[in-house]
Amino acid sequence: MQNIDSITHVRGESIYLDDIPLQQETLFGAAFGSPIAHGKIIHLDISAAEKMAGVVRIFTYKDIPGDNQIGGIVPDEPLLAEDEVHFNGMPVAFVVAETNEIAQAAVKSITIDIEPLPVITDPREAKEKGKLIIPPRTFSLGNIDKAWKKCTHIFEGIAETNGQEHLYIETQGAYTIPQENDCIKVYSSTQGPTAVQRHMAAVLKIPMHRLEVDVTRLGGGFGGKEDQATAWAILCALATYHLKKPVKYCLHRMEDMRMTGKRNPYSSDFKIGLDKNLKIIAYEATFYQNAGAAADLSPAVLERTLFHCTNSYFVPNVKATAYCCKTNLPPNTAFRGFGGPQGMFVIEAAIAKAAEALGIDASEIQKKNLLKDGDEFPYGQKAESEAKNCWEEAEDIYEIKKLRKQVKKFNEENHLHKKGISFMPICFGISFTKTFMNQARALVHIYTDGSISVSTGAVEMGQGVNTKMAQVAATIFSLPLSKIKIHTTNTFRIANTSPSAASATADLNGKAVQMACINLMERLKPVAEKVLKQPCDKMRIEEGLVHIGNKKTELTWGNLIATAYMSRVNLSEHAHYAPPQVHFDPTIEKGHPFAYHVYGTAITVVTVDCLRGIYTFDAVKVVHDFGTTMNPVVDLGQIEGGIVQGMGWMTMEEIIYDKEGRLRSNALSTYKVPDIYSVPEEIKVHFLKTKKDNLAIFRSKAVGEPPLMYGIGAFFAVRNAIKAFHPSADVKFSAPITPEKVLMSLYPKKERSQTIKEAYHIL
Ligand code: LUZ
Ligand code: MOS
């Protein structure tokens, strides 16, 4: 089944925020951000901007009627700076003008006098100076101190991953429209309509029931709009509140890149201990998370780093500690994987380091230590593991022995091009790690003509969740999709929604849709019984007719609904779903936080041009645990997109802040994301079918985030290719492994001139 949005997407008819027809008298906003990363505001001068023709008003924190505060987890983030700025780009004032161009021009004529304070961009330095956003957290299992004594081999090192720009195609934005009686209608490109509504209510000091947040769809989110869509919507609403006029602000790409946070960079220390059979006996990791200037979602991201610190391996003795470090960068935030990939990279680096020292392939260690059923995670939950199944299936169907031979032969025959292979197993926990967030609601109406409308808390952001919601309703009613319409995500129809995040949206909202539809079907059965004068517990609908079991009747769906309506049967249902199985106690860091885990294995093959340092990926071949997929097309799209996005993070996407905390990679000319030329020549995805009864909707496992982590394999494949060229090359565990870094490690400084001479000689 195709995505229900395909046709309007292709025709350019799909509505995004910037496509909403403007109301008369709409004004346009633009934010003035701090020009420096840290300092005390001495004087803000808006007088020149205010005098510009077409400028309506400029707002500062003094215009805020309620709390100047938008921090979700920790109240440490003012909407508009008061007397200090904490990152370059931090909003200080909000210009509202008659046109977008005037608003942008007015921002440029605002000046500010700031007394600079020291700028910290490095998380380890922040930790040294005691700048932590929350106290450190530690997950542990077994007894690490005793375990070291049992190890035959112990290796230590450092692993670092950089941030990642979300680069949703649609930038952040909002459009707010005044309604009567101090109500505001809010269009926002947000993954979390309730987050927008809740913070807006507090900032404007008006009750939530006056704020209608409505979301048709987003042009991508990737976590960047879980928390960080809120500020722009509230800035517009603040102006609408004062001016009683519609106000719109869609960020320009460079504003968006400069002012919003990204994936959290991490710097980490690891220590790994193995016995003589290559079993990992002990693993210790210390994570320094670069949170940026405010908590945002970083404390929750940090938690997921700890949850995934052992990836898909069983390690009996673990100690993992994480520091949430405050720096003068824009607050970093959710990004597909939510700290999990950062944690997983570190143990993969530890394994690679051990393998290198022992002169073996990392896959020997990886395979020996895969999770088995019943193995305990450091947080107490027991694994129901598909790790070995995925790995062995991948070895088998992708003919790993043959592949290794081909690579070996290629490397023997070629001197300036080398191939590298890596295995990347993944294990990702499905559920919000904050247990209370695991809840969702759905509202289903059957209209008197038999057509059905469905509303949920799920936000469509290109991931295909609306298609899945429509499938759920169509399946329960056994009606064609044409009878089902999925409506916008709206806080007046569905209240108190969790953001669409954590890969859990289809599960949570889908189960709520399922419950609502089942309840409606149950209510219709007695109606059918009255008409048909026979028991109808086996009722289903086929080709518009009521069937009882396999027997067709004369009763049409339309007549059934009309009869139900005339008999005054309620044709609407609101359902609430919350998986009861999940729980977690942060005081002991133990529990059962995840409904289930998703597993998989990726084999990546790369060819490195050892003269230039550039590389191309031959193939990424995956065996992925989908459960029983309810939509192979949508799910395959998620896997392919996730792989490429993860590879981009690991290889070419390089965020650079200078020492002053200024973003230098601030446009698409300086920040490179994968394009059609840099994707692998071949991506193969094998659907491992698993039938385990789990909490996935229709047993179709969550698929949003897990595949991103296959991209980590790209780093290690490139690293292995470098090693094939120069076995003693010192390749740092520092992602992204850009072509520049590859070139430098191919030719270590001391031997550089000699190796280059040799290379030219071969040429
Ligand atoms: N967002 C969140 C997430 O608030 N909590 C989570 O556990 C999570 N996990 C993945 C992605 N987003
Ligand atoms: Mo997300 S990182 O699931 O918003």
Side-chain angles (χ1 to χ4, degrees), residues 655-671:
I655 288 179
I656 296 180
Y657 285 99
D658 62 20
K659 287 261 175 284
E660 282 73 51
R662 188 155 56 122
L663 183 67
R664 306 317 301 248
S665 51
N666 64 347
L668 287 172
S669 54
T670 45
Y671 185 77

Side-chain angles (χ1 to χ4, degrees), residues 710-722:
Y710 292 136
I712 295 173
F715 180 96
F716 292 94
V718 171
R719 194 173 185 277
N720 288 341
I722 297 172

Side-chain angles (χ1 to χ4, degrees), residues 191 222-223 226 334-336 338 501-503 705:
Q191 290 173 242
F222 309 115
E226 182 176 339
F335 195 134
R336 203 172 189 176
F338 205 75
S503 307
E705 296 172 288

